[in-house]
Amino acid sequence: MTVAGREGTSGGTGWRRLFRRGPGGTRAGGSGGGRRRGPVLAGLGVVTAGLLALHRFVPNTPGRLGSLVESFLFWLGPFTALLLVCAALRRARTTLLVLLVPTVAWAVAFGPLLLPAPSPGARELLVVQHNVADDNADPAGTARALADSGADLVALQELVEPALDTYRRTLAPRYPYHSVQGTVGLWSRHPLTGARALDIRPRDITEPWRRALRAEVRSPYGTVAAYVVHLPSVRLGAGGLASARRDESAALLGGILAADRADRIVLAGDLNGTVEDRGLAPLTSRLVAPERGLALSYPAALPLARIDQVLARGAHVPAVRTLPATGSDHLPVLVRVVLHGAS
């Protein structure tokens, strides 16, 4: 409109250009549509930036809306990239400037995960976390793949008979120490002591339900309290995110962690949530998450989120990465944990 207004003082040439029709009968002044869409793109960018920076203020009712947003917070980055492409194609310069805000917000939140991982250091343990799936058709192949990772600790969920015997037999040559409690298990290169089941069962589950254990690992760098857990599943439906059971189990586990006096803790598990999800705050407020790596682990065919986690206390977690697919619907994750000295 600026060009048209300027040329309109010399005989209305600008108006003729603005409404001139091109081939096929479309208006050559299609940039007007671009201008109309520019505010829409800018508005979406502002909303995206707000979600990235202020997602904790999104209410969790109804339908666990806050947790749902946080579960897929990473994907606001690709969404912003799409908005940038649309704005660039329409030459909407002001909109491009507005979209820098969500771009920066995403880079602050997730950019560090994309940086190269530091070199391996001293006092480092390798931990594999994998939900092997109770319907895994190739438990022997899965066990061999996990053993070939070179991990010091292997944490597994959904261990059921007869596959459990296969895991025990296949992992035994490289992992002489192990403990299985219910459907979760820990295999270790180093001696285990004090292994026991933990009660994190939601109140409304009445059937037998053992999905958490604690054991002490006598590592070369000192004793480590190792937890293996499988929090309840969540479901996404018309009513939103059904995560009440998971959140209840996370709260119970958080209380156990708060009372644990161990200097160093490593927790591995299928937490059925990302580390950004406020439902896991009882854990993520007490333990540190990986510093590098995205490692989206679920679903294996098209990973959208990392719900398989390794968190730590009295240590830092420099890097996480996925391993090749097994017969499970989850991808295994391999995590480096660097232990601090005893306090």
Side-chain angles (χ1 to χ4, degrees), residues 74-314:
F74 166 79
W75 292 101
L76 292 179
F79 178 69
T80 300
L82 178 61
L83 296 180
L84 285 166
V85 170
C86 292
L89 290 175
R90 298 189 176 281
R91 301 180 182 177
R93 296 178 182 176
T94 302
T95 302
L96 286 170
L97 290 175
V98 172
L99 291 175
L100 288 178
V101 179
T103 301
V104 171
W106 187 89
V108 170
F110 294 100
L113 298 178
L114 304 179
L115 297 175
S119 301
R123 306 177 65 85
E124 184 170 284
L125 293 177
L126 286 179
V127 182
V128 160
Q129 151 58 29
H130 193 29
N131 179 328
V132 295
D134 54 12
D135 59 353
N136 192 322
D138 185 20
T142 297
R144 286 193 297 269
L146 300 179
D148 289 344
S149 70
D152 297 282
L153 302 175
V154 176
L156 305 182
Q157 297 83 38
E158 295 198 11
L159 295 168
V160 294
E161 297 290 359
L164 176 56
D165 287 338
T166 302
Y167 288 111
R168 284 184 168 127
R169 184 172 59 254
T170 308
L171 291 170
R174 297 191 186 183
Y175 298 95
Y177 310 98
H178 83 279
S179 174
V180 174
Q181 305 289 336
T183 58
V184 300
L186 176 66
W187 276 258
S188 174
R189 293 182 183 273
H190 314 298
L192 298 178
T193 60
R196 68 179 190 274
L198 302 174
D199 184 9
I200 60 169
R201 179 173 57 179
R203 290 186 299 272
D204 64 343
I205 296 180
T206 57
E207 63 268 20
W209 197 91
R210 288 195 300 165
R211 290 170 51 162
L213 69 80
R214 182 190 186 277
E216 293 190 349
V217 181
R218 305 297 185 184
S219 84
Y221 318 115
T223 301
V224 180
Y227 286 73
V228 182
V229 300
H230 186 190
L231 297 187
S233 299
V234 300
R235 295 289 184 268
L236 180 60
L241 192 69
S243 63
R245 283 180 169 178
R246 184 208 60 186
D247 296 351
E248 183 181 352
S249 279
L252 291 171
L253 184 57
I256 294 172
L257 289 170
D260 196 322
R261 301 180 65 85
D263 294 314
R264 288 157 296 189
I265 291 174
V266 173
L267 184 150
D270 174 1
L271 303 188
N272 274 300
T274 67
V275 292
E276 293 80 26
D277 187 336
R278 70 189 66 180
L280 299 185
L283 311 181
T284 54
S285 64
R286 295 181 170 93
L287 306 170
V288 297
E291 301 164 2
R292 302 284 187 270
L294 290 176
L296 306 181
S297 65
Y298 183 83
L302 182 63
L304 296 175
R306 185 175 79 238
I307 64 175
D308 296 275
Q309 311 289 355
V310 175
L311 311 174
R313 186 178 84 189

Side-chain angles (χ1 to χ4, degrees), residues 12-48:
T13 306
W15 291 106
R16 288 195 296 273
R17 287 183 179 176
L18 182 62
F19 291 100
R20 186 176 62 222
R21 294 181 181 272
T26 58
R27 295 191 186 277
S31 59
R35 292 190 183 94
R36 288 192 297 272
R37 292 181 182 89
V40 174
L41 295 174
L44 290 172
V46 170
V47 172
T48 301

